[in-house]
Amino acid sequence: MSITRAKSIDFLYEECKDFDLVLVPDAPMASALNRRLDQPHFGPFAITPRRLAARRREQAEDRLAFLEIIQTTDLNWKETSYAVGNILQCWEYQGAADAVLNYEQFATTATHTAVDCITEMDTTSKRLTEYRIESDTSVAVVGFKQFTELERSILPPDYDIINPFTREPFDHPPFRVLDSPTAIVDAVLDTVTTENADDVAVVLDAASQYSSLIESALEAADIPYYGGPGFTDNTRHRAFLQLLRSAHAGRDTQVNDVRPLLTQLGMSIDIEHDEKRLYDLDRQEVDWLLEFRDEVRSSTFEEAINAYEAVTDSTIDAFRNELETLGILDDAITKPAIDRLEFYLQSYEVPIDRENDGVLLADAKSAAHVDRAVVFYLAIDEGWTHSSPRRPWVDEDQEFERNIRQFQRLLQNGVDQYYLVQDTSGGTPVTPCLYFEELFDKDFDKFSDLDSLQHSRSFRETQSGFEKEPLDVSPEEVSALSQSSLNTYVNSPRDYFFSRILDNPDKKHFREGNLFHDFAEFYVSHPDVITTDTLDEVATIILNEVDPFLRGVDTEVCHTTYRVGLQTIVEFLDGNPPQGDGFVTSDSGRGENFFAEYYNRPIDASHTERWFANTNLGLKGKIDLVHNPTRLLDYKSGSKKSAYSVVKHSALDPPSDKPNFQALLYLAHQRSEHPDEELQFTFFHFLETLDDVVTGDASLEDCLTTVTYYPVTYEEYITRPAVFTELQEDAANDCNKTFSKSTYEVYRALLDAYEFPDTRDSDELIKSDFGQTLTDRLIADVGDYKYVKNGCKQALRYLLRIRNQNYFADDLDRFEEFVRERMSELNTRRAGDERFPVQGLGGDPNYRYVDNRDCILEGESR
């Protein structure tokens, strides 16, 4: 099977022009035929059955019936909507208003009441039921199978059926596959102008993202359009609804939940407050909103509208009129009342006046005929598939045939058709509209399996853009990178770029982390101030500072968590006090400390919160605790990571999908201070044993993860006699047994003769020439036993664990070169010589760790 060619409007007109009356399935086709009349015609020529019977523009009778019933009966809104939908639908398919009562499961008391009410109304369906075309009228019916039983009931005994399709296949244009919705919208905007807008139509799924994307793009380009946003899409209407919702949202509502509303109300709140509770935000800008929230429960809808209009200096008369039509304008604004209002607006399309000029936006599930010369079809995915009503009065096979015929006609509108589609969206395959499975005699999973053309995105410039003023200023070069900046830059340079120019909201875990760090720094200087009772006080202080970010139900849990974290920090510092002279650099300035100010005591320890800027290496940062001259410590409130995980995520070639260079960066700086010494970097996860503290089984060791730097290369390190001793005593059983029967000289000779493979994968190491040679040598030295072969595998895994859990001189050398390359690259991009790409060194960024996700277009690499 293939798409059947539809007859052109001109061809249909030639077939129909000699009839007195032409019935068509949709109004746009009727209008197109009427525009081709070449001589005066008495009465209607081409018309839909509903328009013919009603003698007026078709109205949304489901909405009108709903309004009538809720005002004249005691039925609630939801049961009214359910009954109205069933009655009108069954009427359409069975031809009688009370036909729904023939189905026992639907013949409820509410349905009986609704039927009695609807049959008394002057609806289009009622007029259609009573109307009959005079028998002496010559009638042509275009697309008879598209008509419902109710529409067919008006036909005279004799009429002619005109098939809107030919017997020929439609040679459809190729599917044009683009990378993203933005690229698809850009392709449309490359063609449409203000001059040709009246000749263009865009067909799309009105419920998809394409609706808002194309509307905003057309508005930005000052291109007129119609058929787009509805009553509830109006910005002021949405804002007013959100205002009503916010009144009952509870005390845990965050600022970011109502930011669109705040923008409409003209209340400017810094983004740093986004994740704080609105109700407890001590900002003058939101005083009006908080007062409204307190008063609205005793107000009516009309009073709320008046208040909204006063604060925004605007009017929403259409919304006021609709509430009056619903009969709730003077009702109190209770939560059930708001729920009913939202239900109504989601269920029914409130009519609005539209300007019928410009680009026509047509809904793929409603339209069948679009009388425009150029038609763009966007996506054509599974969202275009109709959902057949699951009711006993609907023949699903007939309904499917009706829908697929409409789909075929829809795809052939216009002189030029452009099918703009995607193969994937967000890494997930896009499913083509299910009707294609019926229409195409071939297997396919995506559009590129069909007749298609691949298109890369072209960047359009519709206007001159923002005004630019050249500045005679040389770009300032970055001389040092912090670990967080380096992590972000390696994951996505574009995200790094936006992080430098955009503010991000303050977050709960940032506030908590800073307070814990301040406490630890304070305790090192003033351990005498803190007692068991003081820890409870400090936990309460932290809770009060973090409270704007918390839900009410979380308060007690958080207090317990803070108390345990503080106790763990104290126990560690009491048992492991800092040693040595601390750490001093030329850039060792100290920031403010919350607890130093609270207790009015200075911080004078040289071990804590030490800033450094090592421009020779291009590194900077802040060390939480210089535990001793060769051991640095960092406090972490998150879950514990193993030494293996720390080393894994600091990989350079290629970088990890979660790059984290903190330990490498700090050790590189510390090596510059102590070049030939063994160094350690310890992560202290002070909340790791939270559950164990509650049960009394906590151990400080479970909180610590330490990675060690050895001032030799990895190959030099594993040649040490001490490592051979570990293979004899500390490795797995077969390894201990095997190497206990060999000698260090055999082991050392092997390492001197063969290069250790540059791999971090144990299976790869075991299968390598080195791994095989080690096994052969030990078999020759110890014997051809199964335990020897297994012991060699255990030895290779042990040696690799050493590499994968520690750093060596060659690791830090490579890291320092890596930083120099990134610094050079970064400064080139800062100078404007090239863009900051989206992709990092490892390819597509890990979007879980992208902070400015809304600023980065999906699928864009440059």
Side-chain angles (χ1 to χ4, degrees):
M1 186 178 176
S2 61
I3 300 176
T4 305
R5 180 176 290 279
K7 296 174 182 176
S8 69
I9 286 295
D10 290 331
F11 192 92
L12 284 174
Y13 175 72
E14 290 299 321
E15 287 191 88
C16 299
K17 67 180 182 179
D18 294 330
F19 288 89
D20 297 330
L21 183 66
V22 180
L23 295 182
V24 295
D26 53 67
M29 179 183 284
S31 299
L33 288 171
N34 288 328
R35 281 195 293 271
R36 284 158 176 78
L37 279 171
D38 54 8
Q39 58 185 353
H41 191 279
F42 181 74
F45 173 60
I47 196 169
T48 64
R50 286 184 167 273
R51 185 73 178 270
L52 176 66
R55 298 294 181 180
R56 65 189 179 198
R57 180 174 295 181
E58 294 178 37
Q59 297 175 309
E61 59 185 358
D62 56 346
R63 171 178 168 272
L64 297 177
F66 172 84
L67 293 173
E68 178 69 17
I69 292 172
I70 63 171
Q71 292 171 7
T72 58
T73 73
D74 294 330
L75 298 181
N76 68 50
W77 288 21
K78 286 193 174 181
E79 66 180 347
T80 296
S81 178
Y82 179 74
V84 166
N86 287 329
I87 293 167
L88 294 179
Q89 187 186 83
C90 187
W91 195 349
E92 191 72 43
Y93 284 91
Q94 299 297 316
D98 59 354
V100 68
L101 300 178
N102 296 328
Y103 300 91
E104 183 178 353
Q105 66 269 41
F106 296 97
T108 63
T109 302
T111 304
H112 276 279
T113 302
V115 167
D116 292 340
C117 185
I118 289 177
T119 53
E120 295 299 318
M121 293 177 61
D122 181 21
T123 62
T124 301
S125 292
K126 182 177 181 181
R127 292 193 179 192
L128 200 59
T129 305
E130 298 170 350
Y131 186 82
R132 292 295 180 272
I133 298 173
E134 297 291 337
S135 59
D136 58 350
T137 305
S138 63
V139 178
V141 181
V142 179
F144 178 80
K145 292 182 178 180
Q146 297 299 112
F147 289 79
T148 64
E149 191 64 35
L150 180 58
E151 290 171 328
R152 295 175 185 177
S153 69
I154 70 170
L155 294 172
D158 297 318
Y159 54 87
D160 285 52
I161 295 176
I162 295 179
N163 190 345
F165 294 99
T166 69
R167 295 183 178 181
E168 302 171 359
F170 172 61
D171 186 16
H172 66 84
F175 295 99
R176 300 177 181 272
V177 182
L178 293 100
D179 331 358
S180 67
T182 307
I184 288 177
V185 172
D186 278 349
V188 176
L189 268 291
D190 283 339
T191 304
V192 184
T193 65
T194 53
E195 288 75 22
N196 66 15
D198 290 334
D199 299 322
V200 177
V202 176
V203 184
L204 43 71
D205 174 12
S208 71
Q209 61 179 319
Y210 289 94
S211 184
S212 57
L213 284 175
I214 195 70
E215 290 162 15
S216 59
L218 291 171
E219 286 178 6
D222 289 328
I223 296 174
Y225 67 92
Y226 72 98
F231 180 85
T232 53
D233 295 317
N234 181 286
T235 303
R236 292 172 182 169
H237 294 174
R238 287 202 309 266
F240 180 69
L241 279 172
Q242 190 174 17
L243 177 63
L244 298 182
R245 281 197 299 267
S246 71
H248 293 276
R251 297 182 65 94
D252 291 333
T253 302
Q254 294 182 328
V255 171
N256 61 347
D257 294 331
V258 293
R259 181 163 289 283
L261 171 61
L262 295 174
T263 300
Q264 283 295 312
L265 296 178
M267 301 174 183
S268 178
I269 302 296
D270 292 340
I271 194 172
E272 67 177 280
H273 302 294
D274 261 18
E275 298 190 9
K276 297 178 182 177
R277 288 200 311 266
L278 174 69
Y279 202 92
D280 294 324
L281 193 64
D282 186 18
R283 305 282 296 183
Q284 183 178 357
E285 295 91 333
V286 299
D287 286 349
W288 180 89
L289 180 58
L290 297 179
E291 291 174 6
F292 178 87
R293 286 164 56 95
D294 292 337
E295 297 172 0
V296 72
R297 292 175 179 81
S298 59
S299 302
T300 65
F301 282 101
E302 184 168 29
E303 289 171 339
I305 289 177
N306 293 336
Y308 173 81
E309 291 178 332
V311 76
T312 60
D313 192 23
S314 63
T315 59
I316 50 173
D317 289 336
F319 206 103
R320 178 186 279 103
N321 294 338
E322 194 62 23
L323 294 185
E324 187 173 13
T325 300
L326 282 168
I328 63 172
L329 190 60
D330 295 323
D331 287 2
I333 306 177
T334 62
K335 191 173 186 304
I338 296 172
D339 291 340
R340 287 196 301 271
L341 174 59
E342 287 192 318
F343 169 77
Y344 167 74
L345 294 174
Q346 291 168 2
S347 301
Y348 300 102
E349 184 64 39
V350 178
I352 58 175
D353 294 328
R354 299 181 186 271
E355 295 291 335
N356 292 338
D357 61 348
V359 176
L360 170 62
L361 304 183
D363 184 6
K365 292 183 180 178
S366 301
H369 181 81
V370 180
D371 192 24
R372 292 294 175 94
V374 178
V375 184
F376 292 95
Y377 300 83
L378 309 191
I380 325 183
D381 55 15
E382 58 186 341
W384 283 44
T385 309
H386 292 260
S387 298
S388 297
R390 295 184 178 276
R391 292 292 187 267
W393 49 80
V394 178
D395 186 316
E396 292 189 14
D397 292 336
Q398 287 184 5
E399 187 69 11
F400 178 80
E401 287 300 318
R402 181 182 289 115
N403 291 333
I404 200 169
R405 283 194 297 270
Q406 176 177 317
F407 179 71
Q408 292 180 84
R409 285 176 52 214
L410 180 62
L411 291 182
Q412 301 177 52
N413 283 283
V415 177
D416 296 312
Q417 304 94 16
Y418 296 95
Y419 302 163
L420 308 181
V421 300
Q422 284 183 270
D423 258 354
T424 60
S425 178
T428 303
V430 171
T431 303
C433 181
L434 302 183
Y435 298 132
F436 287 127
E437 295 182 3
E438 188 77 14
L439 296 174
F440 294 147
D441 295 324
K442 62 179 298 185
D443 293 331
F444 61 91
D445 295 317
K446 52 187 183 297
F447 286 108
S448 59
D449 295 335
L450 301 167
D451 181 15
S452 60
L453 296 173
Q454 293 284 340
H455 289 267
S456 59
R457 183 182 178 189
S458 59
F459 291 88
R460 59 184 174 83
E461 293 186 8
T462 56
Q463 298 179 9
S464 58
F466 295 108
E467 292 183 4
K468 299 177 182 178
E469 180 181 346
L471 299 176
D472 186 18
V473 177
S474 299
E476 180 180 338
E477 287 198 350
V478 174
S479 60
L481 283 169
S482 68
Q483 59 95 8
S484 59
S485 293
L486 182 59
N487 296 342
T488 301
Y489 182 81
V490 170
N491 186 43
S492 171
R494 185 75 58 85
D495 187 40
Y496 167 83
F497 168 74
F498 282 120
S499 72
R500 311 305 295 171
I501 62 176
L502 297 176
D503 292 328
N504 283 309
D506 195 5
K507 295 182 177 291
K508 169 178 172 284
H509 63 272
F510 288 157
R511 181 70 63 88
E512 290 173 338
N514 289 337
L515 289 167
F516 275 118
H517 279 73
D518 283 358
F519 171 80
E521 180 184 28
F522 179 80
Y523 186 75
V524 171
S525 291
H526 303 287
D528 54 307
V529 175
I530 304 300
T531 64
T532 301
D533 293 337
T534 308
L535 287 181
D536 289 325
E537 177 188 346
V538 173
T540 301
I541 292 170
I542 295 177
L543 183 67
N544 291 336
E545 289 298 308
V546 179
D547 184 63
F549 298 91
L550 301 177
R551 299 178 303 166
V553 296
D554 296 330
T555 301
E556 291 187 13
V557 173
C558 285
H559 187 275
T560 301
T561 300
Y562 300 154
R563 178 64 174 77
V564 170
L566 294 169
Q567 178 182 326
T568 304
I569 291 173
V570 167
E571 289 180 3
F572 175 80
L573 291 175
D574 284 347
N576 304 271
Q579 302 170 359
D581 297 329
F583 175 78
V584 179
T585 71
S586 58
D587 186 31
S588 58
R590 184 185 302 280
E592 296 181 353
N593 183 290
F594 178 88
F595 291 100
E597 294 183 9
Y598 183 84
Y599 289 107
N600 194 25
R601 292 173 180 262
I603 301 294
D604 52 13
S606 61
H607 300 84
T608 60
E609 302 295 318
R610 308 315 296 171
W611 289 93
F612 69 88
N614 190 329
T615 55
N616 292 329
L617 298 179
L619 306 174
K620 65 179 180 180
K622 183 175 71 171
I623 299 170
D624 291 347
L625 179 66
V626 182
H627 197 258
N628 62 52
T630 60
R631 184 189 188 190
L632 308 179
L633 184 139
D634 193 77
Y635 300 104
K636 295 292 184 185
S637 57
S639 58
K640 183 181 177 182
K641 306 294 189 298
S642 66
Y644 171 80
S645 177
V646 172
V647 173
K648 173 186 175 182
H649 290 300
S650 64
L652 303 177
D653 186 23
S656 160
D657 64 346
K658 185 186 176 183
N660 191 328
F661 303 107
Q662 183 177 11
L664 257 181
L665 187 149
Y666 285 30
L667 286 169
H669 169 72
Q670 190 73 343
R671 181 174 72 161
S672 69
E673 302 282 331
H674 304 275
D676 298 316
E677 296 187 55
E678 185 178 303
L679 307 173
Q680 290 184 324
F681 189 91
T682 297
F683 294 97
F684 178 25
H685 297 271
F686 52 85
L687 294 178
E688 181 66 22
T689 56
L690 177 63
D691 295 339
D692 295 331
V693 169
V694 174
T695 59
D697 299 324
S699 169
L700 282 174
E701 286 302 314
D702 293 336
C703 298
L704 304 175
T705 295
T706 297
V707 288
T708 301
Y709 163 72
Y710 296 98
V712 294
T713 66
Y714 169 70
E715 290 196 29
E716 290 173 332
Y717 179 82
I718 60 175
T719 60
R720 292 178 173 182
V723 173
F724 181 77
T725 301
E726 291 174 19
L727 294 175
Q728 291 179 314
E729 299 176 357
D730 300 334
N733 290 338
D734 285 347
C735 177
N736 295 345
K737 183 178 180 181
T738 298
F739 281 82
S740 294
K741 295 182 179 182
S742 186
T743 65
Y744 173 70
E745 287 71 26
V746 170
Y747 172 76
R748 178 62 187 262
L750 182 70
L751 290 175
D752 288 343
Y754 295 92
E755 182 179 356
F756 197 91
D758 185 17
T759 179
R760 293 182 182 272
D761 181 85
S762 59
D763 290 337
E764 186 176 330
L765 176 61
I766 291 169
K767 294 176 183 178
S768 69
D769 291 342
F770 178 88
Q772 188 59 50
T773 302
L774 174 70
T775 304
D776 293 343
R777 186 67 186 84
L778 267 295
I779 288 175
D781 190 42
V782 178
D784 189 4
Y785 302 110
K786 182 177 180 180
Y787 79 84
V788 174
K789 297 177 183 178
N790 191 48
C792 288
K793 291 180 181 180
Q794 293 174 348
L796 291 168
R797 293 192 184 102
Y798 187 87
L799 293 176
L800 201 58
R801 278 197 293 273
I802 295 175
R803 165 173 274 185
N804 288 340
Q805 296 181 17
N806 301 279
Y807 294 119
F808 301 89
D810 41 347
D811 294 322
L812 266 64
D813 291 343
R814 283 195 291 267
F815 176 68
E816 290 175 6
E817 176 61 25
F818 178 81
V819 172
R820 284 193 291 272
E821 291 172 355
R822 302 287 76 74
M823 290 287 293
S824 175
E825 182 182 81
L826 170 61
N827 284 315
T828 297
R829 290 166 176 167
R830 282 174 57 87
D833 295 338
E834 61 179 78
R835 298 183 72 198
F836 282 83
V838 172
Q839 291 184 339
L841 293 175
D844 287 337
N846 185 336
Y847 284 107
R848 291 179 59 194
Y849 305 105
V850 167
D851 292 325
N852 302 283
R853 183 67 183 85
D854 293 344
C855 299
I856 298 177
L857 298 178
E858 187 175 288
E860 184 182 8
S861 61
R862 299 300 301 169

mmCIF file of all heavy atoms in Angstrom, residues 689-699:
data_model
loop_
_atom_site.group_PDB
_atom_site.id
_atom_site.type_symbol
_atom_site.label_atom_id
_atom_site.label_comp_id
_atom_site.label_asym_id
_atom_site.label_seq_id
_atom_site.Cartn_x
_atom_site.Cartn_y
_atom_site.Cartn_z
ATOM 1 N N THR A 689 28.844 8.214 58.344
ATOM 2 C CA THR A 689 28.469 7.251 59.387
ATOM 3 C C THR A 689 27.223 7.692 60.146
ATOM 4 O O THR A 689 27.026 7.306 61.304
ATOM 5 C CB THR A 689 29.640 7.070 60.378
ATOM 6 O OG1 THR A 689 30.010 8.356 60.905
ATOM 7 C CG2 THR A 689 30.835 6.440 59.684
ATOM 8 N N LEU A 690 26.383 8.480 59.500
ATOM 9 C CA LEU A 690 25.179 8.999 60.164
ATOM 10 C C LEU A 690 24.344 7.869 60.753
ATOM 11 O O LEU A 690 23.958 7.897 61.933
ATOM 12 C CB LEU A 690 24.357 9.812 59.156
ATOM 13 C CG LEU A 690 23.016 10.371 59.644
ATOM 14 C CD1 LEU A 690 23.227 11.351 60.782
ATOM 15 C CD2 LEU A 690 22.276 11.037 58.490
ATOM 16 N N ASP A 691 24.040 6.846 59.957
ATOM 17 C CA ASP A 691 23.223 5.734 60.452
ATOM 18 C C ASP A 691 23.940 4.970 61.557
ATOM 19 O O ASP A 691 23.314 4.521 62.534
ATOM 20 C CB ASP A 691 22.883 4.776 59.309
ATOM 21 C CG ASP A 691 21.993 5.424 58.260
ATOM 22 O OD1 ASP A 691 21.331 6.428 58.589
ATOM 23 O OD2 ASP A 691 21.977 4.940 57.114
ATOM 24 N N ASP A 692 25.266 4.815 61.422
ATOM 25 C CA ASP A 692 26.028 4.066 62.427
ATOM 26 C C ASP A 692 26.084 4.813 63.753
ATOM 27 O O ASP A 692 26.091 4.198 64.827
ATOM 28 C CB ASP A 692 27.447 3.798 61.931
ATOM 29 C CG ASP A 692 27.470 2.892 60.710
ATOM 30 O OD1 ASP A 692 26.547 2.059 60.589
ATOM 31 O OD2 ASP A 692 28.379 3.026 59.881
ATOM 32 N N VAL A 693 26.135 6.150 63.705
ATOM 33 C CA VAL A 693 26.141 6.936 64.946
ATOM 34 C C VAL A 693 24.845 6.705 65.703
ATOM 35 O O VAL A 693 24.827 6.561 66.932
ATOM 36 C CB VAL A 693 26.330 8.435 64.627
ATOM 37 C CG1 VAL A 693 26.061 9.282 65.878
ATOM 38 C CG2 VAL A 693 27.741 8.695 64.114
ATOM 39 N N VAL A 694 23.750 6.652 64.973
ATOM 40 C CA VAL A 694 22.441 6.443 65.621
ATOM 41 C C VAL A 694 22.398 5.087 66.319
ATOM 42 O O VAL A 694 21.832 4.954 67.414
ATOM 43 C CB VAL A 694 21.305 6.558 64.572
ATOM 44 C CG1 VAL A 694 19.964 6.195 65.199
ATOM 45 C CG2 VAL A 694 21.256 7.969 63.995
ATOM 46 N N THR A 695 23.044 4.071 65.702
ATOM 47 C CA THR A 695 23.027 2.727 66.299
ATOM 48 C C THR A 695 24.212 2.474 67.223
ATOM 49 O O THR A 695 24.305 1.418 67.841
ATOM 50 C CB THR A 695 23.034 1.657 65.188
ATOM 51 O OG1 THR A 695 24.216 1.817 64.381
ATOM 52 C CG2 THR A 695 21.797 1.798 64.304
ATOM 53 N N GLY A 696 25.153 3.422 67.298
ATOM 54 C CA GLY A 696 26.296 3.289 68.192
ATOM 55 C C GLY A 696 27.444 2.494 67.631
ATOM 56 O O GLY A 696 28.308 2.034 68.389
ATOM 57 N N ASP A 697 27.494 2.291 66.298
ATOM 58 C CA ASP A 697 28.554 1.470 65.690
ATOM 59 C C ASP A 697 29.455 2.278 64.773
ATOM 60 O O ASP A 697 30.078 1.727 63.861
ATOM 61 C CB ASP A 697 27.925 0.326 64.873
ATOM 62 C CG ASP A 697 27.084 -0.595 65.732
ATOM 63 O OD1 ASP A 697 27.479 -0.813 66.890
ATOM 64 O OD2 ASP A 697 26.052 -1.081 65.243
ATOM 65 N N ALA A 698 29.572 3.580 64.978
ATOM 66 C CA ALA A 698 30.317 4.425 64.047
ATOM 67 C C ALA A 698 31.820 4.270 64.233
ATOM 68 O O ALA A 698 32.316 4.031 65.327
ATOM 69 C CB ALA A 698 29.920 5.885 64.247
ATOM 70 N N SER A 699 32.543 4.402 63.117
ATOM 71 C CA SER A 699 34.008 4.398 63.131
ATOM 72 C C SER A 699 34.492 5.534 62.248
ATOM 73 O O SER A 699 34.060 5.663 61.101
ATOM 74 C CB SER A 699 34.540 3.051 62.607
ATOM 75 O OG SER A 699 35.936 3.140 62.381
#
